[in-house]
Amino acid sequence: MSLPDNTTVLIVGAGPAGLTAALSLIHHGCRDFIIVDAIVEGQNISRAITIHCATVEALAIIDAAGGLLSQAIKGKSIRITSRSSQIFGAKFDSLKKHSAHTYTLFVPRNVTELVLGQKLQSLGVQVQRPHRVVGMKQNEKDPRITDVSFEDGQVIGARFISIRTISGIGFYDPEGPNQSNHILAQMIAADVTFEPEPVGPLTIEGHLNGTVPPRSFFMLTPFGNHCSNDKLTRDEKPITKSIFSRHAPPEEYIQDLIDTYGPACITSDLSLNPTPIKIDQPVWLTRFRTHSAIADRTFTRFGAAIFLVGDAAHIHSPAGGQGMNLAIRDAIFLAEAVKKHIQASAENPDVDDTILQEFAEARHARALETIGFTKNLLKLASLTYDTYAWWMPFSRASIRDLMLGVLGRFDFVQSRVAWGLSGLGRR
């Protein structure tokens, strides 16, 4: 498809952040933008599944939350369990003093992209596909424009660009190198169906379940029959999103991981589960390393004002499900800053980049806070049941479980956990 020669804003990438940036621009009255993506269509895999309270609030402000609310499961709580019993629980309705959205949405990322894309289409904007960026250079006639070249030979001149990578920008772990050598340094994420369908408290929709077996951590979020995307669920069978540690596929190995580390109610081990459960279909799975890094700057000038948003600006472990949420909020506030700068430029063509720099610094600070939060969660989950010392026959993990069990009886502790996950303190 033919692209225009120029635009005020160019958004490269039509993931949740890119789509949200486009919707936020429209909300703020800016329609002179183009959104492009390198692939023909979005991927039919879940990847990220949680949209927390602070993100729902931000989406509601730009009138982009309604479709997701109709498609998602409203998560009621997070539960930390052993393989057979609950250790700690925190309900999200404790957030009612702070927000009208007292829940976490559970929805596969591909559905999130579909819903946001449909919203964008309803407003008259289509993602231009497939267009892969291959180069950028400053415009020869206007020093405030960057010419972006695509693989098919087309070129767009833009004044503001949101892109996934910029050469010359450093990417580093705030705590320094070699900070990921722990038992959860490797993880697997998988979408699977089970046969027969699991039953029990941990398989009820609307709860995020974290199991803490020895030397691992296992996350389970049941979708039941709620997820209607037939490409993801395959023949509309119930689908469960599992995140668990250690090694990579194949299917037999995943089954072994579930039997070794998962809650008893979804294992095939007859000694743990009187009704053995086995994987029916592994819909999607991936292996990845958990590490954290942040760009040394997310805004730069190369003719146009160029921004890094989402994973291009910061990465961290999936602990707490914060990554996509931070990216979406970045995108919403980016569009607001761009609109303010456009208005200031209309009044004064020589306006400086203070508005854009302040935005970049604020989002950088939020990213650092989020990285710190996810690292703390990962450290807590990484504690082992190995005895601390011969003279102290306790393990760090058993002390953690004891403290969670005791402190979890207090409402204010549950509220603090829900507050931390919600992102309301890191908007």
Side-chain angles (χ1 to χ4, degrees):
M1 182 176 290
S2 179
L3 297 173
D5 294 333
N6 54 74
T7 184
T8 299
V9 184
L10 173 63
I11 301 170
V12 180
L19 294 168
T20 304
L23 289 168
S24 187
L25 283 170
I26 293 173
H27 174 77
H28 289 99
C30 176
R31 282 185 166 270
D32 186 18
F33 69 87
I34 297 292
I35 177 170
V36 301
D37 199 275
I39 59 177
V40 175
E41 61 181 10
Q43 296 177 318
N44 290 302
I45 54 178
S46 69
R47 298 182 66 183
I49 62 165
T50 54
I51 301 178
H52 289 298
C53 172
T55 310
V56 178
E57 280 194 352
L59 288 167
I61 290 172
I62 63 169
D63 192 28
L68 291 170
L69 288 170
S70 68
Q71 293 287 328
I73 297 171
K74 288 185 177 181
K76 302 179 181 71
S77 73
I78 180 171
R79 302 184 290 201
I80 305 300
T81 74
S82 68
R83 300 195 70 191
S84 58
S85 60
Q86 181 166 317
I87 298 171
F88 173 86
K91 296 181 179 179
F92 295 125
D93 62 8
S94 62
L95 299 171
K96 58 189 175 184
K97 295 179 181 179
H98 311 288
S99 174
H101 305 285
T102 56
Y103 45 77
T104 285
L105 297 183
F106 299 145
V107 56
R109 172 172 162 163
N110 68 311
V111 177
T112 298
E113 292 181 3
L114 177 65
V115 170
L116 294 177
Q118 289 174 341
K119 174 69 174 179
L120 198 58
Q121 288 181 38
S122 73
L123 296 172
V125 176
Q126 185 76 33
V127 176
Q128 305 299 310
R129 303 175 183 268
H131 295 288
R132 185 180 301 277
V133 173
V134 294
M136 296 190 298
K137 69 175 184 178
Q138 190 170 359
N139 186 275
E140 295 177 355
K141 296 180 179 179
D142 190 332
R144 290 271 171 165
I145 290 179
T146 291
D147 293 329
V148 180
S149 304
F150 293 88
E151 197 171 52
D152 60 6
Q154 298 189 71
V155 178
I156 294 181
R159 294 185 177 276
F160 302 88
I161 302 170
S162 171
I163 198 164
R164 288 172 170 165
T165 182
I166 308 173
S167 62
I169 289 184
F171 216 54
Y172 66 97
D173 189 319
E175 294 183 3
N178 302 319
Q179 297 295 322
S180 59
N181 295 322
H182 52 75
I183 63 172
L184 299 182
Q186 294 275 358
M187 286 192 175
I188 293 172
D191 295 322
V192 302
T193 63
F194 291 107
E195 184 63 39
E197 184 176 349
V199 295
L202 296 186
T203 66
I204 298 173
E205 294 178 13
H207 303 277
L208 183 64
N209 304 293
T211 300
V212 284
R215 304 194 66 79
S216 189
F217 187 69
F218 188 105
M219 289 298 297
L220 173 73
T221 305
F223 276 92
N225 291 308
H226 188 91
C227 183
S228 61
N229 185 319
D230 58 355
K231 291 183 179 179
L232 182 61
T233 60
R234 291 188 181 177
D235 303 322
E236 298 184 353
K237 289 189 177 182
I239 185 166
T240 303
K241 168 74 177 185
S242 308
I243 302 176
F244 46 103
S245 70
R246 302 296 290 174
H247 299 290
E251 178 183 342
E252 294 78 14
Y253 193 77
I254 295 177
Q255 182 66 62
D256 183 62
L257 286 175
I258 293 173
D259 292 342
T260 304
Y261 301 120
C265 64
I266 63 169
T267 72
S268 63
D269 186 343
L270 188 59
S271 67
L272 296 174
N273 187 3
T275 308
I277 305 296
K278 287 192 174 183
I279 292 174
D280 179 32
Q281 295 183 66
V283 181
W284 171 74
L285 49 90
T286 187
R287 175 181 60 182
F288 57 93
R289 286 189 63 83
T290 60
H291 64 287
S292 300
I294 188 167
D296 55 26
R297 63 187 188 279
T298 57
F299 160 64
T300 189
R301 272 282 178 190
F302 183 62
I306 302 177
F307 304 91
L308 294 177
V309 175
D311 288 349
H314 39 69
I315 55 174
H316 46 77
S317 84
Q322 301 296 313
M324 181 178 70
N325 288 268
L326 183 60
I328 288 174
R329 297 198 297 271
D330 283 350
I332 290 173
F333 297 126
L334 168 61
E336 182 181 3
V338 166
K339 178 59 178 178
K340 287 180 179 178
H341 194 271
I342 291 172
Q343 290 174 332
S345 298
E347 297 172 3
N348 176 14
D350 297 322
V351 67
D352 63 21
D353 289 332
T354 299
I355 293 171
L356 305 179
Q357 191 62 47
E358 288 178 348
F359 156 80
E361 290 172 357
R363 300 317 300 170
H364 186 85
R366 290 292 179 264
L368 286 173
E369 291 170 4
T370 301
I371 288 173
F373 176 73
T374 59
K375 283 194 172 195
N376 288 335
L377 289 181
L378 201 62
K379 289 175 184 176
L380 192 63
S382 300
L383 296 178
T384 71
Y385 289 93
D386 299 333
T387 302
Y388 183 74
W390 66 268
W391 46 267
M392 185 178 290
F394 302 104
S395 67
R396 290 180 174 88
S398 61
I399 295 173
R400 172 201 63 200
D401 297 348
L402 177 63
M403 295 299 292
L404 285 174
V406 173
L407 295 176
R409 299 173 185 175
F410 297 96
D411 290 342
F412 79 90
V413 175
Q414 296 184 32
S415 297
R416 292 306 300 173
V417 171
W419 170 263
L421 291 171
S422 73
L424 289 170
R426 299 182 300 276
R427 282 179 282 196

